[in-house]
Amino acid sequence: MRKNQSSPALARAARNTYFKAIQTAKRVHRSQFLANVDSRSVWDARKIAAGRAPDCFPTLENASSPIDINNTLLQHFFPPRPSPPPPLILLAFKDIPPVSPAEVSSALRKSSKTSAPGPSGIPYSIWKQVHKANERLLPSLFTPLLTHGYHPLAMKKANSIVLDKPGKPDYRTPASFRIIVLLETVSKILERLSALHLASAARSLGLLQPNQCGSLAGLGCFDAVATLTHEVRLLQAGCFKVSTLFLDVKGGFDNVCANKLANTLTKEGVAAYLVAWIKSFLSKRQCRLIFQAAPKVFCRVAFGTPQGSPISSLLFVLYIASLHPTIPQGLAISYVNDLTITVCSDSVRSNIRALQYFFGVIQRWGADLGVAFSVPKTELIHWRTLKDRSDVSFASIVINNMLFPPSQAVRWLGYWLTPTIHFAVHFLRGLALAKASFTSI
């Protein structure tokens, strides 16, 4: 009897000991992990420590119902824009290479099984099984679409998940939120195939600027940063003062005008079937917003290129290729919507004048394309060598009546850059963020 009475107490004691052991093991592991963090694992530590806070419900001003909130968010994220009308009659283009099973297999290999599906709920794993069972099925679906330059309406629907931006003081404006667009997986397979065709045509026709990176095979963030730092050091070797202006294209993909893009591609000699498919792909798209109590109704949206599409970033890169001026003593480098202008001269003041001039040039070019720059995100840096004994320059630049002093550390494409190009700062900043996050847990 006594043994039975003591069993609950023994169970509670064992449970408490068990959970205390887990907490102790977590603290020990956390300390050991943080003590051994290096340049490769510091970002994993930062990601693990950050975690995720509960989602915030949109409480927008002048929106008292879920339908009002839905309409306000749609107006903010997908404002009305001209959309190219689809062709009334679909004509078959001649000599279009058929889609091969090998091309579909390659596209599916690059598709993650864990990617969230679109409105239909069909994940990539299903299409991989379908292709494995019958490798002629998907090619027989995609080939007629490319032959007629047509993208079906059913493949243009998307779910748009509304997420709150962390750290905002309040969530009463749409700007405090962001969206993640989930496209139909079968559509993304075709988009990936079209992206390969377009990338091949862009390279052969010379549509890309030599210093454009991102969305192109073999040209990632590291390549852009390495090109920038190499150019800076090369100019410094000529005993020049070097300065760089960091710019961000406002809105990014949303500013792509389908008609202007199609006209440019046609003028440059891109195949007519591919141009027709791109115009069809960008027209009459629909999405439904997903948030707490959302009405979940599909609405027509007219915007540039859909977020998350395998071809969207390539279309945007081609669209802004002309925003790269030729600089006699310097270089313009971009990574998708992040653009840098680097100049050199005998003085920092001369660099400031040159940067203001070239910004005015690309701002005018951008206006012709309907593209603007997010001026508040602009940053300036005056580069120095380790042996430079001259006084540090604090010369600022004025962009659209806004003053930007030089920065002592600029975070560009995930890399922390300093005037002396000392990458130890990059790793130290990451380690400091990881430590701060761990200590706050």
Side-chain angles (χ1 to χ4, degrees), residues 348-383:
V348 172
R349 295 290 180 182
S350 298
N351 288 349
I352 293 293
R353 290 192 292 270
L355 290 174
Q356 288 177 323
Y357 168 77
F358 284 113
F359 175 79
V361 169
I362 64 172
Q363 189 177 42
R364 291 192 297 272
W365 292 351
D368 294 336
L369 295 174
V371 171
F373 292 91
S374 182
V375 175
K377 295 182 180 180
T378 302
E379 293 190 88
L380 170 69
I381 193 168
H382 299 309
W383 306 99

Side-chain angles (χ1 to χ4, degrees), residues 55-60 66 69 164 171 177 291-294:
D55 294 336
C56 294
F57 181 77
T59 54
L60 307 180
I69 294 174
D164 56 279
Y171 293 89
F177 296 86
F291 58 91
Q292 297 178 22

Side-chain angles (χ1 to χ4, degrees), residues 51-60 73 77 160-180 290-292:
R52 173 156 178 82
D55 294 336
C56 294
F57 181 77
T59 54
L60 307 180
L73 291 173
F77 290 114
S160 297
I161 313 299
V162 181
L163 301 176
D164 56 279
K165 296 179 181 178
K168 294 294 181 179
D170 62 67
Y171 293 89
R172 291 178 294 179
T173 62
S176 298
F177 296 86
R178 60 189 179 93
I179 60 171
I180 301 297
I290 307 297
F291 58 91
Q292 297 178 22

Side-chain angles (χ1 to χ4, degrees), residues 152-438:
L153 295 176
M155 295 168 64
K156 298 180 185 180
K157 294 184 177 181
N159 286 337
S160 297
I161 313 299
V162 181
L163 301 176
D164 56 279
K165 296 179 181 178
K168 294 294 181 179
D170 62 67
Y171 293 89
R172 291 178 294 179
T173 62
S176 298
F177 296 86
R178 60 189 179 93
I179 60 171
I180 301 297
V181 179
L182 305 180
L183 307 174
E184 292 289 8
T185 49
V186 66
S187 175
K188 293 174 72 173
I189 300 172
L190 177 57
E191 293 159 31
R192 195 178 298 278
L193 296 174
S194 300
L196 292 175
H197 294 180
L198 181 60
S200 176
R203 291 184 184 277
S204 62
L205 296 172
L207 304 184
L208 298 165
Q209 292 293 327
N211 299 315
Q212 280 188 289
C213 300
S215 76
L216 302 170
L219 292 174
C221 295
F222 176 78
D223 300 283
V225 174
T227 302
L228 174 62
T229 54
H230 172 76
E231 182 68 14
V232 169
R233 285 174 172 149
L234 191 64
L235 295 173
Q236 287 177 332
C239 299
F240 290 111
K241 298 290 184 182
V242 186
S243 303
T244 297
L245 194 65
F246 296 84
L247 303 169
D248 181 80
V249 178
K250 186 178 181 180
F253 298 171
D254 294 348
N255 293 320
V256 175
C257 176
N259 284 329
K260 291 182 179 180
L261 175 62
N263 292 337
T264 300
L265 296 179
T266 301
K267 181 180 177 181
E268 296 295 338
V270 176
Y273 83 93
L274 198 52
V275 176
W277 179 87
I278 291 172
K279 290 185 68 174
S280 177
F281 170 69
L282 296 178
S283 66
K284 286 193 173 182
R285 302 197 63 89
Q286 293 182 321
C287 82
R288 61 182 177 187
L289 298 182
I290 307 297
F291 58 91
Q292 297 178 22
K296 297 183 181 179
V297 294
F298 282 102
C299 300
R300 182 177 176 180
V301 292
F303 57 95
T305 58
Q307 179 196 101
S309 168
I311 199 174
S312 285
S313 56
L314 177 58
L315 293 176
F316 179 75
V317 166
L318 290 170
Y319 190 68
I320 66 166
S322 60
L323 300 185
H324 293 70
T326 301
I327 304 174
Q329 290 182 309
L331 193 65
I333 305 173
S334 69
Y335 182 90
V336 190
N337 63 330
D338 292 295
L339 180 67
T340 67
I341 304 175
T342 300
V343 298
C344 73
S345 66
D346 295 330
S347 69
V348 172
R349 295 290 180 182
S350 298
N351 288 349
I352 293 293
R353 290 192 292 270
L355 290 174
Q356 288 177 323
Y357 168 77
F358 284 113
F359 175 79
V361 169
I362 64 172
Q363 189 177 42
R364 291 192 297 272
W365 292 351
D368 294 336
L369 295 174
V371 171
F373 292 91
S374 182
V375 175
K377 295 182 180 180
T378 302
E379 293 190 88
L380 170 69
I381 193 168
H382 299 309
W383 306 99
R384 294 171 59 84
T385 64
L386 293 174
K387 297 181 180 180
D388 194 345
R389 295 294 180 264
S390 61
D391 294 335
V392 176
S393 176
F394 296 99
S396 303
I397 189 170
V398 177
I399 300 293
N400 290 0
N401 298 321
M402 296 182 64
L403 182 67
F404 296 93
S407 302
Q408 295 306 306
V410 173
R411 192 168 187 264
W412 190 57
L413 306 182
Y415 290 84
W416 285 100
L417 303 177
T418 60
T420 56
I421 315 181
H422 204 301
F423 282 101
V425 175
H426 170 71
F427 299 114
L428 290 174
R429 291 243 179 176
L431 183 60
L433 287 173
K435 287 184 176 179
S437 299
F438 271 113

